[in-house]
C-alpha cells in the first residue's frame, strides 16, 4: 500500500517538471535574412565602410514569452566575400588581405552569455577572421521587433591582431589603418 503514494508522488513530480520544461525550455531561433554587418575603418585618404547583408546563424535560448532569459549557444557565420564597399578595387584589396581564397568566412561562436542588470548581455566567445581565432567579449543590446529577437553590438579590433596586413593601394600611397570595427544588427526568429 505504501508504494502507491510514492509512485503517485513521483509521477506528479515528473509531470510538473515536464510541464515546466515545455513553458521555459530551450528554443532554437534562426537568423533571418538581411542581417546588417558593417566593417568600418580609416585610411590615409578617407574613412571607409564595407557592408554585408549575408550571414547564417542560430541561437539556442530559453524564452519567457518573447524575452530571452538564458542563452546556451549562438553561432553566426558571414561569407568573407559578402562584404562590399561599392568600389571594386577596394573590395579586391580587402579580399586579398583577408585571404578569402583560403578562408571563406568570418565566424562568431558563443562560449557563455550573462545578462546585465540593464538588460544588455555580455557574450564571451571565439571570433574567427582570416583564419585566426581570438577569444572576445562583446556587450550586446537585446530588443524585440515584429516578433523577432534583435541583437546589436560592435567589436573594435586591430587587423594585425588577426595577422592581417592592412591593405595599401596606389603603390603604397594609400594605407589602411590598423584599427577597424564591426557593427552588427542581427534578427532571429
Amino acid at each position: 500500500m505504501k508504494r502507491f503514494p510514492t509512485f503517485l508522488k513521483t509521477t506528479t513530480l515528473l509531470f510538473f517538471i515536464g510541464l515546466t520544461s515545455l513553458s521555459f525550455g530551450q528554443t532554437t531561433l534562426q537568423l533571418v535574412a538581411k542581417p546588417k554587418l558593417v566593417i568600418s575603418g580609416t585610411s590615409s585618404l578617407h574613412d571607409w565602410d564595407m557592408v554585408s547583408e549575408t550571414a547564417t546563424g542560430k541561437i539556442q535560448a530559453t524564452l519567457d514569452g518573447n524575452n530571452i532569459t538564458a542563452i546556451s549557444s549562438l553561432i553566426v557565420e558571414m561569407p568573407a566575400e559578402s562584404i562590399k564597399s561599392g568600389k571594386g578595387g577596394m573590395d579586391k584589396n580587402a579580399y586579398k588581405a583577408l585571404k578569402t581564397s583560403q578562408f571563406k568566412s568570418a565566424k562568431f561562436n558563443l562560449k557563455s552569455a550573462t545578462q546585465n542588470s540593464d538588460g544588455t548581455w555580455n557574450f564571451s566567445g571565439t571570433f574567427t577572421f582570416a583564419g585566426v581565432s581570438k577569444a572576445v567579449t562583446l556587450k550586446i543590446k537585446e530588443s524585440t521587433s515584429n516578433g523577432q529577437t534583435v541583437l546589436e553590438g560592435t567589436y573594435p579590433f586591430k587587423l594585425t591582431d588577426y595577422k592581417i596586413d592592412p591593405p595599401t593601394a596606389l603603390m603604397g600611397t594609400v594605407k589602411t589603418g590598423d584599427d577597424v570595427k564591426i557593427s552588427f544588427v542581427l534578427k532571429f526568429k
Side-chain angles (χ1 to χ4, degrees):
M1 285 301 242
K2 290 184 178 183
R3 293 183 73 199
F4 183 71
T6 304
F7 173 76
L8 186 59
K9 286 179 188 177
T10 303
T11 304
T12 304
L13 178 63
L14 290 173
F15 173 76
F16 283 113
I17 289 172
L19 188 60
T20 303
S21 295
L22 287 174
S23 60
F24 294 105
Q26 291 281 309
T27 301
T28 301
L29 304 172
Q30 299 293 324
L31 184 63
V32 298
K34 301 252 183 201
K36 181 83 171 196
L37 302 141
V38 180
I39 301 176
S40 304
T42 62
S43 74
S44 55
L45 186 58
H46 57 77
D47 292 351
W48 54 268
D49 291 326
M50 295 185 79
V51 178
S52 173
E53 293 184 337
T54 305
T56 58
K58 64 182 177 180
I59 185 171
Q60 183 115 21
T62 303
L63 301 176
D64 182 8
N66 285 334
N67 298 321
I68 293 178
T69 58
I71 300 171
S72 61
S73 70
L74 168 72
I75 297 174
V76 176
E77 191 166 0
M78 175 191 74
E81 289 190 2
S82 70
I83 56 172
K84 307 284 183 197
S85 67
K87 300 173 182 155
M90 183 176 168
D91 293 351
K92 184 178 175 184
N93 284 340
Y95 301 156
K96 181 179 175 185
L98 297 174
K99 305 173 200 117
T100 59
S101 62
Q102 185 178 1
F103 305 110
K104 301 293 184 189
S105 64
K107 184 176 184 179
F108 177 76
N109 191 357
L110 181 75
K111 300 296 180 202
S112 67
T114 55
Q115 193 167 28
N116 302 310
S117 60
D118 65 358
T120 62
W121 290 84
N122 289 333
F123 284 5
S124 296
T126 304
F127 182 62
T128 303
F129 199 51
V132 176
S133 296
K134 296 277 186 188
V136 299
T137 300
L138 308 172
K139 187 168 184 175
I140 305 296
K141 177 184 170 193
E142 175 200 352
S143 61
T144 56
S145 175
N146 299 324
Q148 299 175 339
T149 298
V150 181
L151 302 177
E152 297 179 61
T154 59
Y155 171 49
F157 63 95
K158 293 186 179 298
L159 291 171
T160 52
D161 290 345
Y162 290 87
K163 299 182 181 172
I164 299 167
D165 293 326
T168 61
L170 299 173
M171 298 188 306
T173 59
V174 177
K175 298 179 183 180
T176 301
D178 194 19
D179 293 310
V180 296
K181 175 178 69 174
I182 295 180
S183 304
F184 52 89
V185 178
L186 306 173
K187 296 178 182 179
F188 293 87
K189 186 168 181 160

